[in-house]
Amino acid sequence: MPTKGKLKSPEKFIRPLVRKLDGYVPGEQPQASDIIKLNTNENPISPSSKVLQAIKKAADSRLRLYPNPTAKPLRYALAQLHCCQPENIIIGNGSDELLALATRCFVEPKSSGAKTMKEIARQTIQYFTPSYSLYPILANIHGARKNEFKLPQNYELPDISSLIKGKWNFQAALTYITTPNAPSGAGYKTSDLAKICKDQNGIIILDEAYIDFAKETALDLTKRFPNVIISRTFSKSYSLCSQRIGYFIAHPKLITALDRIRDSYNTNELGQTAALATLTDLSYYQKQFKHIIKARSQTSKTLTAIGFDIIPSQTNFIFAKPNGLSAKDWFTKLRKRKIITRWFDTKECRDRLRITIGTKEEMEKFISATEAIVKKSTRR
Ligand SMILES: *Cc1c(COP(=O)(O)O)cnc(C)c1O
């Protein structure tokens, strides 16, 4: 019988899982131009002029056409860069899209019927805490089980015996490892990651969003282990957050599977164009990385000298514990001075701030603001 005339609450039409879901909370994107923005790990420098020109040149009547559905030219260029085949690469609308696709490709949603350890593992997504805060959200959206493994105090990668002693699941269907890690900034050795990849009977995604600021990449592990996926993005180091281009490198069988469930036109033509042009001017970016790494070590040194605790960083941000005031206070007082950083209100993170490394000038302003704030807080 049709329900005529009755008022219906739309709420009941929504899947129970979605009704209760908390979405990802992105960092603020303030509009004011006088703000020093050190909160979302963007590169402070403009994309290369070659990239800007390529986008402008591509913005014409061709916008009416669908983009290249498989981003073929970009995959060929990336294959050349990484010494692999185009079949090893899938392009995503940001790496976030691919991280989400992986849940649907490799993990069964939770069912109450699962009894054996093996069935439970097939429904499990695993990651370290703290790491990228999107992972638990993706697991929740998919309705998967979560296995969180707490990192030690120094944020270093646990060895196999600690994983065994803890509740690491070596059978988990999908494991995300941010390397170098966020928000700690700590780098992991490829040889240590290899030991985990070797013992893990499930997919491991090594999320290398910050690899250009690190000492080593684990890219070769995709050649040694068929269960390993490397995730990369043009967002952070290549100043292209707005264009949404990320990619996975992995065994062609994994790439084909991901391709099957991907939207046909998941990345737009201007994004593909911008990423391709980026690859023609890599030396421009490599110069920027050197500046950022230099500003990172300068900032770390100065903060350490005033008694702050800094985790040695291999990324374009630092994770700093203040001295003489709480992290929350530091965050609020910087904000009043129009400097925005990121404070995560969780047990593991709330006594530190994550500070993106900006330009040399921005970091000098950040340091003087911090010194003034500390002076005021410790007076009286
Ligand atoms: C920023 C970030 C991403 C997402 O990058 P997009 O390609 O812009 O979606 C993925 N992983 C980590 C760890 C990040 O910090």
Side-chain angles (χ1 to χ4, degrees):
M1 283 280 271
T3 46
K4 249 187 263 162
K6 259 192 229 160
L7 271 178
K8 291 180 234 169
S9 161
E11 183 83 0
K12 69 175 181 188
F13 303 120
I14 302 167
R15 290 173 59 207
L17 180 142
V18 180
R19 261 180 247 160
K20 292 181 300 197
L21 214 54
D22 289 320
Y24 181 71
V25 183
E28 293 173 81
Q29 295 291 352
Q31 294 305 311
S33 57
D34 59 341
I35 277 173
I36 298 183
K37 193 171 176 304
L38 309 177
N39 68 334
T40 49
N41 300 343
E42 290 141 330
N43 190 328
I45 304 296
S46 158
S48 130
S49 57
K50 287 192 183 164
V51 172
L52 299 179
Q53 273 162 26
I55 296 177
K56 280 177 197 153
K57 214 174 133 205
D60 59 22
S61 66
R62 284 170 296 173
L63 289 180
R64 72 192 176 81
L65 302 172
Y66 278 107
N68 188 308
T70 60
K72 194 170 166 187
L74 180 56
R75 283 189 304 116
Y76 273 68
L78 284 169
Q80 202 162 37
L81 177 69
H82 295 308
C83 304
C84 63
Q85 301 302 315
E87 292 73 27
N88 292 107
I89 297 175
I90 181 171
I91 312 289
N93 191 15
S95 51
D96 280 355
E97 185 202 20
L98 297 174
L99 296 172
L101 266 192
T103 67
R104 281 147 53 197
C105 195
F106 305 119
V107 188
E108 296 294 344
K110 180 161 58 184
S111 78
S112 47
K115 298 252 153 44
T116 65
M117 297 286 277
K118 200 174 165 188
E119 284 168 330
I120 287 171
R122 290 289 319 131
Q123 305 174 358
T124 299
I125 294 178
Q126 169 170 263
Y127 44 85
F128 293 108
T129 59
S131 70
Y132 188 24
S133 55
L134 180 69
Y135 306 148
I137 310 259
L138 294 180
N140 291 341
I141 291 172
H142 190 56
R145 295 172 195 271
K146 291 182 295 234
N147 192 40
E148 302 191 336
F149 192 101
K150 197 171 173 307
L151 286 169
Q153 277 290 310
N154 58 9
Y155 299 97
E156 274 169 25
L157 190 68
D159 59 12
I160 296 288
S161 69
S162 329
L163 292 180
I164 293 172
K165 264 184 248 146
K167 55 179 190 89
W168 188 260
N169 187 337
F170 286 92
Q171 308 293 322
L174 177 60
T175 301
Y176 295 113
I177 302 180
T178 319
T179 173
N181 196 17
S184 72
Y188 300 148
K189 282 205 184 108
T190 302
S191 52
D192 294 337
L193 290 167
K195 288 176 196 152
I196 301 178
C197 295
K198 182 166 160 278
D199 286 354
Q200 188 67 29
N201 189 20
I203 297 290
I204 296 194
I205 297 181
L206 300 173
D207 184 345
E208 292 195 332
Y210 300 102
I211 200 62
D212 295 294
F213 309 102
K215 287 187 185 144
E216 53 176 328
T217 166
L219 187 58
D220 277 352
L221 298 185
T222 57
K223 293 183 179 137
R224 284 173 60 194
F225 304 107
N227 60 326
V228 173
I229 296 174
I230 290 278
S231 176
R232 292 280 184 96
T233 174
F234 282 87
S235 292
K236 311 282 170 46
S237 26
Y238 298 97
S239 303
L240 273 188
C241 291
S242 119
Q243 292 290 325
R244 315 300 308 126
I245 298 284
Y247 58 102
F248 275 2
I249 307 169
H251 192 285
K253 286 229 158 84
L254 300 184
I255 298 296
T256 306
L258 287 160
D259 238 350
R260 253 180 236 140
I261 58 170
R262 171 179 70 79
D263 282 347
S264 342
Y265 302 108
N266 64 327
T267 63
N268 73 79
E269 194 68 32
L270 295 186
Q272 294 180 29
T273 301
L276 255 177
T278 299
L279 298 181
T280 67
D281 203 6
L282 288 179
S283 60
Y284 166 83
Y285 295 94
Q286 277 145 8
K287 217 181 290 160
Q288 307 303 338
F289 303 157
K290 287 210 183 104
H291 291 312
I292 289 171
I293 290 170
K294 199 168 164 202
R296 176 182 82 195
S297 78
Q298 195 56 53
T299 308
S300 305
K301 216 190 272 171
T302 313
L303 290 180
T304 306
I306 56 170
F308 286 29
D309 183 60
I310 317 291
I311 309 294
S313 169
Q314 291 198 31
T315 59
N316 67 337
F317 55 85
I318 52 172
F319 201 42
K321 186 176 173 182
N323 178 25
L325 77 170
S326 73
K328 191 184 180 184
D329 258 9
W330 185 22
F331 171 81
T332 313
K333 288 173 176 164
L334 283 170
R335 209 168 185 291
K336 278 195 192 124
R337 293 164 189 256
K338 301 196 170 178
I339 299 173
I340 305 192
T341 59
R342 194 91 192 256
W343 178 64
F344 297 97
D345 191 9
T346 65
K347 199 169 117 232
E348 290 140 0
C349 297
R350 70 169 63 98
D351 58 356
R352 291 177 181 269
L353 288 193
R354 193 195 69 187
I355 301 137
T356 305
I357 302 300
T359 61
K360 185 166 172 272
E361 294 69 33
E362 286 175 328
M363 297 325 283
E364 282 163 4
K365 284 186 188 153
F366 161 79
I367 287 289
S368 1
T370 296
E371 283 170 343
I373 290 165
V374 170
K375 211 168 176 186
K376 263 194 177 170
S377 310
T378 48
R379 218 173 12 206
R380 98 187 89 141

